[in-house]
Amino acid sequence: VPELQGPRYVSPVPSGGFVVSEECGDVKVFTSSHKLLCSLSSKYRHQFGNPTGVCVDRDGSILVADEQHRTVHLFPEHGAPVCLVSMGLRRPAGMACSSFGHLFVADTGENCVKVFKYCVRPS
């Protein structure tokens, strides 16, 4: 997949495609045939600082860690982004989601992995 601006972290999506964070401050979603599906900053009008870790949860929502803003946001397929973690992170990096609603975040600023439990209810 060419023409990425400093690709950092990548995660598969249930449809067979993948999501990738870029150093330039964007997160892009690609189809299984490697075609650009969307940019999260454009689709959701969200401004990233320095997106790092990305993962996809059991509902197909994309989660993105932002090193500069020290947050984790959830981007549902439909609806507005949700800030899941707004405090307690120094330098979030890699992430993973479990099928039980756990979010694992590697915090390189504190040399540890932080575990969060979350549940997003439809509005």
Side-chain angles (χ1 to χ4, degrees), residues 34 61 74:
H34 309 150
S61 296
L74 179 141

Side-chain angles (χ1 to χ4, degrees), residues 10-100:
V10 64
S11 177
V13 297
S15 64
F18 62 96
V19 59
V20 61
S21 61
E22 297 178 305
E23 277 185 304
C24 71
D26 203 356
V27 176
K28 293 182 178 167
V29 182
F30 291 86
T31 66
S32 59
S33 60
H34 309 150
K35 302 285 187 226
L36 178 64
L37 183 64
C38 71
S39 153
L40 294 188
S41 62
S42 296
K43 178 179 178 179
Y44 293 95
R45 292 187 169 90
H46 182 84
Q47 186 170 355
F48 293 102
N50 185 19
T52 52
V54 292
C55 62
V56 180
D57 71 9
R58 64 181 176 211
D59 297 322
S61 296
I62 298 170
L63 288 81
V64 180
D66 191 315
E67 184 181 50
Q68 182 179 349
H69 294 148
R70 299 178 181 176
T71 58
V72 174
H73 277 80
L74 179 141
F75 296 86
E77 198 170 340
H78 305 289
V82 176
C83 184
L84 293 181
V85 182
S86 62
M87 294 172 40
L89 296 174
R90 276 187 56 202
R91 276 186 61 208
M95 293 194 315
C97 301
S98 78
S99 58
F100 300 105

Side-chain angles (χ1 to χ4, degrees), residues 9 52 66-67 70 88-94 105-114:
Y9 292 83
T52 52
D66 191 315
E67 184 181 50
R70 299 178 181 176
L89 296 174
R90 276 187 56 202
R91 276 186 61 208
V105 182
D107 190 335
T108 60
E110 294 189 18
N111 294 316
C112 65
V113 173
K114 296 181 177 174

